[in-house]
Amino acid sequence: MRVNLGADTPETDVRRALTTGDMGFLHSFTTGSRVDGPGVRVVGWTTGCHWRCLYCHNPDTWNMSNGIPVTLARATEQLRKYRHGLKIMSGGFTLSGGEPLMQDRFAVKLFTAAKAMGIHTALDTNGSLGNRLTDAELEQIDLVLLDIKMWDPERHRQLTGMDNAPVLDFARRLAERRRPIWIRFVLVPGLSDDVENIANIARFSASLGNVKRVDVLPFHQLGRFKWKELKLNYTLNDVQPPSIEAVESACAHFRSQGLKAF
Ligand code: SF4
């Protein structure tokens, strides 16, 4: 687990980085991902997230100081190495996290640099900070992987600690701008798997008109050890992953609204 990798970075440098976007804080870079957007992808994992989802499997990305400071130039150079391969494999670059828009200036600059190299770009986001991006900046993002975690506002607050109104507003704005979305929905037995929740999210997703696909992500316990090591209070110890049938049933709700769901 990676923690405190950026702890030595002076506070003024952190602030300057966030303002200019000339430096970002990354937990890691992975190559060869097939699950973070179309084709084969390079994924940059940012640190910093202001949500506290009960099922988060990356709580080590919550604090920005757990990331390695990386200059925009260096990150761009890394992407340049892969640009031909990514094109051949119909892939691209995805920025995930953490919440990438905690570092919105860095994200925009990196996406712009990737686009200039002809690389397909995707943002994996909880959607709450979408209003940090201008309409012109949205054009630098070919695909938004948008988490919709819970429909009911109060239950959403219990699950994430935050309001879901900005998420839904961002989804509507992306629809108005005709920017493609893949919805991501985490299926957690006893928490998010009731029919009412799924049906509401499915109806909303279908109403947008720009949702190209829905990924139903089965809850898992792979991040549990991180909560323990970070001495955080993990409340889902007894929750089992959903059955294949439950995942298929959730997919069926989305499909019944005319969406592609996997
Ligand atoms: S939004 Fe993502 S990174 Fe942030 S707490 Fe939730 S699951 Fe974790």
Side-chain angles (χ1 to χ4, degrees):
M1 195 166 55
R2 296 167 170 230
V3 291
N4 292 329
L5 297 176
D8 293 338
T9 311
E11 185 61 32
T12 46
D13 287 4
V14 175
R15 260 192 247 120
R16 195 179 317 120
L18 293 176
T19 309
T20 65
D22 290 337
M23 187 170 80
F25 294 85
L26 293 179
H27 177 269
S28 51
F29 248 112
T30 55
T31 54
S33 166
R34 290 180 176 275
V35 295
D36 296 293
V40 177
R41 308 190 71 83
V42 169
V43 184
W45 304 91
T46 60
T47 49
C49 184
H50 56 312
W51 285 23
R52 293 293 176 264
C53 302
L54 299 179
Y55 55 61
C56 183
H57 60 269
N58 289 320
D60 49 331
T61 64
W62 288 352
N63 292 334
M64 208 170 292
S65 63
N66 282 350
I68 306 169
V70 179
T71 64
L72 177 70
R74 172 115 178 88
T76 305
E77 208 39 54
Q78 285 298 313
L79 283 181
R80 192 183 305 281
K81 285 187 203 161
Y82 296 108
R83 69 188 192 284
H84 295 306
L86 291 175
K87 220 170 266 179
I88 290 165
M89 293 181 286
S90 306
F93 169 60
T94 300
L95 204 53
S96 186
E99 170 45 54
L101 294 185
M102 292 287 284
Q103 305 183 45
D104 55 289
R105 292 306 89 198
F106 180 69
V108 166
K109 285 193 171 177
L110 195 48
F111 281 138
T112 304
K115 287 280 286 176
M117 289 187 269
I119 297 174
H120 178 277
T121 56
L123 168 69
D124 180 12
T125 179
N126 65 30
S128 62
L129 301 175
N131 60 4
R132 290 187 175 186
L133 304 180
T134 65
D135 289 344
E137 288 165 356
L138 284 181
E139 301 292 322
Q140 300 301 319
I141 304 169
D142 294 312
L143 175 69
V144 175
L145 309 176
L146 181 66
D147 299 337
I148 299 188
K149 296 171 186 286
M150 193 74 84
W151 182 255
D152 178 76
E154 185 48 40
R155 288 175 62 197
H156 189 275
R157 261 189 294 276
Q158 286 164 11
L159 172 64
T160 68
M162 303 298 277
D163 196 3
N164 65 356
V167 181
L168 305 181
D169 285 347
F170 186 48
R172 292 186 193 99
R173 181 171 163 225
L174 290 168
E176 278 164 20
R177 309 287 317 162
R178 298 182 198 280
R179 307 306 300 158
I181 295 179
W182 287 11
I183 296 288
R184 298 184 130 188
F185 170 67
V186 182
L187 188 70
V188 193
L191 205 65
S192 67
D193 65 341
D194 55 285
V195 170
E196 193 189 346
N197 185 44
I198 298 170
N200 276 323
I201 294 174
R203 263 195 299 275
F204 174 76
S205 303
S207 74
L208 294 170
N210 60 334
V211 173
K212 306 298 177 196
R213 153 182 183 144
V214 178
D215 286 325
V216 175
L217 308 174
F219 167 76
H220 57 71
Q221 291 282 13
L222 299 177
R224 177 165 52 185
F225 79 96
K226 295 183 184 178
W227 286 71
K228 199 169 170 210
E229 285 186 24
L230 292 167
K231 299 192 175 20
L232 295 166
N233 181 28
Y234 186 63
T235 55
L236 305 185
N237 272 309
D238 299 329
V239 178
Q240 299 297 316
S243 64
I244 293 170
E245 292 75 23
V247 175
E248 190 44 45
S249 164
C251 287
H253 276 288
F254 286 101
R255 289 188 197 122
S256 72
Q257 293 291 331
L259 296 162
K260 284 186 192 153
F262 301 91

